[in-house]
Amino acid sequence: MHSIHDLRRIDLNLLVILDALLDECHVSRAAERLAMTQPAVSHALNRLRDLLDDPLLVRAGNQMQLTRRAFELAEPLREILGGVRRLVLGDDFDPASAEMELRLGMSDYGAWVVLPALLPLLRREAPGIHLDVRQASRVGMAEQVASGELDGALGVFPMLPEGLRMQQLFEERFVCLCSRETLGERQRLDLDDYLAAPHLRVALQQSPAEEIDSHLEKLGRRRQVAATVPHFSVAPSLLAGTDLVLTIAARMLPDDLENCGLASFEPPLKLAPFDFVQIWSEASEDDPARRWLRGKLAEVTRRT
């Protein structure tokens, strides 16, 4: 059994370095952020690897990636360091009595996944907080977060401007959806039948759905788009009574497929999953209200 005295052998400054490494996934960037030298951060990483008995960061091609253990450590570590900051610096934010507006950017996919759980939580825990949800392209939302126009944004952000932080909320994948009559007795469509079928496409500026057409283009193939809509949330309801096929994020599937007369199947092409993340500015990193909201976003998305 460990006692509190075991903490005496741990340099707690290592946790601050670990937090930067998990966020940046890059030793040099973490060093710059911490105003430390690169060798010093590399030495600290080696000590952390020994302490936690895990490599934490591993090379994958030209990039470094978090191990599963490191990914699992990220959120508890932020909570611990946040608690230390509040202990030392104080925290006068009380969600139950707060009266303020918080602005989040997200697409209708983000709204579909997040808001049904987030809004009841806000009404219970922070009824005085007004949540203002706005939609823009991923570039537009990132720029608005960087400028302070938004307090944060949810979505898919492969590239971020300087000064923004990011946390993965979950990994999403694609599935196909069509009427049961379209699928018939088959369990799925093969690639040729998939490409021959008429498709319902969701066209949202810089949306993950564009990966479908980009992937097909690389294969020298093309799907037949019969209809295009601008919203993820409405698309599944448009399939009944048609021969259309929809390729969409898995969390958009209706709960009662059979009652809706719909069937789902795995795409007949290898579509990479994508990370759904939340982003915020470094300037708001220690703001207690925005930190509280980020924690709640992580909490509700863990349940989806």
Side-chain angles (χ1 to χ4, degrees), residues 5-280:
H5 298 293
D6 293 330
L7 291 174
R8 295 176 61 185
R9 69 184 182 87
I10 301 173
D11 180 356
L12 297 183
N13 288 318
L14 289 175
L15 298 184
V16 177
I17 298 173
L18 177 59
D19 181 53
L21 286 166
L22 297 186
D23 267 343
E24 300 291 349
C25 288
H26 196 283
V27 172
S28 296
R29 287 200 299 267
E32 182 178 351
R33 176 169 145 189
L34 295 164
M36 296 174 63
T37 65
Q38 188 271 338
V41 174
S42 293
H43 178 66
L45 175 57
N46 289 331
R47 292 177 63 192
L48 286 161
R49 285 167 167 163
D50 290 340
L51 179 66
L52 299 170
D53 192 26
D54 187 89
L56 300 174
L57 289 172
V58 294
R59 184 164 295 281
N62 295 325
Q63 296 181 326
M64 299 293 285
Q65 293 184 349
L66 301 184
T67 63
R68 178 177 293 276
R69 168 75 166 142
F71 181 76
E72 292 171 348
L73 285 170
E75 184 58 30
L77 178 60
R78 289 189 186 98
E79 293 176 0
I80 290 169
L81 292 178
V84 172
R85 291 187 188 101
R86 290 190 292 275
L87 177 67
V88 175
L89 303 176
D91 187 349
D92 58 1
F93 175 69
D94 176 17
S97 61
E99 297 281 344
M100 64 187 305
E101 178 180 85
L102 292 173
R103 299 152 300 176
L104 285 178
M106 64 184 79
S107 69
D108 71 319
Y109 167 77
W112 175 277
V113 172
V114 174
L115 294 184
L118 180 64
L119 289 181
L121 183 149
L122 288 177
R123 298 309 302 155
R124 290 193 308 270
E125 299 186 18
I129 289 182
H130 169 221
L131 184 67
D132 183 3
V133 176
R134 305 178 186 181
Q135 182 173 4
S137 69
R138 66 173 63 146
V139 172
M141 285 192 288
E143 290 175 346
Q144 289 171 44
V145 172
S147 69
E149 186 176 344
L150 289 175
D151 297 301
L154 310 177
V156 180
F157 299 95
M159 301 290 291
L160 288 179
E162 289 291 327
L164 294 189
R165 306 283 296 276
M166 177 177 71
Q167 178 192 12
Q168 182 195 47
L169 297 175
F170 57 80
E171 184 180 80
E172 181 62 294
R173 65 186 181 89
F174 288 105
V175 295
C176 294
L177 192 61
C178 63
S179 70
R180 294 195 61 82
E181 290 77 11
T182 297
L183 202 57
E185 298 299 319
R186 296 170 293 184
Q187 297 297 312
R188 58 183 294 178
L189 299 181
D190 62 24
L191 182 58
D192 288 336
D193 287 340
Y194 174 84
L195 295 178
H199 286 254
L200 175 62
R201 181 178 187 270
V202 179
L204 182 68
Q205 186 180 10
Q206 298 179 317
S207 77
E210 291 184 354
E211 297 300 324
I212 302 164
D213 296 303
S214 297
H215 185 84
L216 286 171
E217 186 176 344
K218 292 175 184 176
L219 298 175
R221 310 294 293 270
R222 185 178 181 181
R223 59 178 175 163
Q224 307 301 314
V225 177
T228 301
V229 295
H231 302 296
F232 290 106
S233 54
V234 73
S237 67
L238 303 177
L239 296 174
T242 78
D243 57 351
L244 297 170
V245 173
L246 172 66
T247 306
I248 199 168
R251 284 172 175 78
M252 300 298 296
L253 289 182
D255 293 330
D256 54 345
L257 280 180
E258 189 169 343
N259 290 336
C260 295
L262 302 177
S264 65
F265 59 94
E266 293 299 313
L269 62 163
K270 293 182 179 180
L271 296 171
F274 57 91
D275 290 336
F276 187 80
V277 307
Q278 63 171 325
I279 62 173
W280 65 94

